[in-house]
Amino acid sequence: MVQKAKILLVDDRPENLLALEAILSALDQTLVRASSGEEALKALLTDDFAVILLDVQMPGMDGFETAAHIKRRERTRDIPIIFLTAINHGPHHTFRGYAAGAVDYISKPFDPWVLRAKVSVFVELYMKNCQLREQAALLRLQLEGGGGKAAAGGGVKESAGLLAELSARLAAVEEQAEALSKQLDDESADAAAVATAAHLERKLTGLRRALDALEPGTGSGPAAMPSPN
């Protein structure tokens, strides 16, 4: 069973959180509420999120300050942030949002379909990254657990079989990533989403090279495998 992605919704007004939940419920992911910047930071301590929808105007710690804290933490710095604001203060205000680390900046009232489409892109990218990490973990287990068998003359068939399985799984992820990139091109998506997809494809390419290097007869070993991060 594929684990659902978590989406963090941050707004001090309950009615706004309810509206966001109604819009995003069709994505069938896990929606997590936070009514303040402090509550959002607390949630980020324990859970991993695919994307954060962050209201700018909040009492106490506003959206900009909350985003700054998120980007300073190593664990959360790469989570995409979409700013939501009911007030348009012009280009300077928008620039401040992007400078704080947002991948998008949407003024209310927003088109529900557009918001749902934007969030779905980052959810899909998150799921692809999770698949990539799983493939890398399986490969490391194979290298650490199967190396001794191969050295002793046993387990060669098992190692070859696992490599073939990993290669097939990676091919499926590569195909999905390619389809996603084409979809982003067709829809003229945000530059941030396109850049994230390109980063995912580069990591997939690195993992593919590592798998190819482990094929019998290449003379390469565990040291040839790059980190997927």
Side-chain angles (χ1 to χ4, degrees):
M1 181 180 296
V2 178
Q3 186 175 2
K4 293 183 179 181
K6 292 184 178 180
I7 302 170
L8 183 58
L9 313 177
V10 189
D11 199 304
D12 63 298
R13 299 174 66 90
E15 61 270 25
N16 290 342
L17 291 172
L18 187 63
L20 288 174
E21 288 177 338
I23 293 170
L24 300 176
S25 60
L27 298 179
D28 193 28
Q29 304 299 326
T30 302
L31 306 177
V32 178
R33 284 188 175 199
S35 58
S36 66
E38 292 84 355
E39 190 174 334
L41 294 176
K42 184 177 180 180
L44 288 162
L45 288 174
T46 54
D47 290 325
D48 294 323
F49 292 91
V51 61
I52 301 170
L53 274 64
L54 180 58
D55 184 43
V56 173
Q57 290 85 27
M58 294 188 296
M61 183 185 296
D62 66 11
F64 295 131
E65 188 178 354
T66 302
H69 282 287
I70 293 171
K71 293 302 177 181
R72 279 199 292 265
R73 294 178 178 176
E74 184 175 357
R75 174 188 173 92
T76 59
R77 65 178 58 168
D78 294 325
I79 302 176
I81 297 174
I82 298 177
F83 272 136
L84 304 176
T85 178
I87 304 174
N88 187 356
H89 291 290
H92 177 74
H93 199 254
T94 303
F95 175 78
R96 186 182 176 192
Y98 287 117
V103 297
D104 211 337
Y105 197 100
I106 303 177
S107 297
K108 304 174 186 177
F110 44 77
D111 186 324
W113 187 92
V114 171
L115 179 63
R116 187 163 53 243
K118 289 176 181 291
V119 171
S120 68
V121 169
F122 291 108
V123 168
E124 194 164 355
L125 288 173
Y126 173 82
M127 300 300 285
K128 296 296 183 295
N129 272 301
C130 288
Q131 289 180 320
L132 180 59
R133 286 195 294 268
E134 290 174 2
Q135 306 300 334
L138 284 173
L139 181 57
R140 287 194 181 94
L141 286 174
Q142 186 273 332
L143 292 174
E144 294 170 1
K149 292 182 181 180
V156 175
K157 290 184 178 180
E158 290 83 353
S159 297
L162 182 53
L163 280 175
E165 181 182 353
L166 286 171
S167 181
R169 291 185 181 183
L170 179 59
V173 178
E174 288 171 331
E175 183 178 352
Q176 293 170 350
E178 182 179 358
L180 178 60
S181 294
K182 290 180 179 178
Q183 179 184 353
L184 290 174
D185 291 338
D186 293 342
E187 296 178 356
S188 301
D190 296 331
V194 174
T196 304
H199 179 62
L200 173 61
E201 287 193 334
R202 287 194 296 271
K203 292 197 288 186
L204 286 170
T205 300
L207 188 54
R208 170 59 66 188
R209 288 174 179 169
L211 277 174
D212 291 344
L214 290 169
E215 290 294 329
T218 61
S220 299
M225 180 185 172
S227 169
N229 296 322

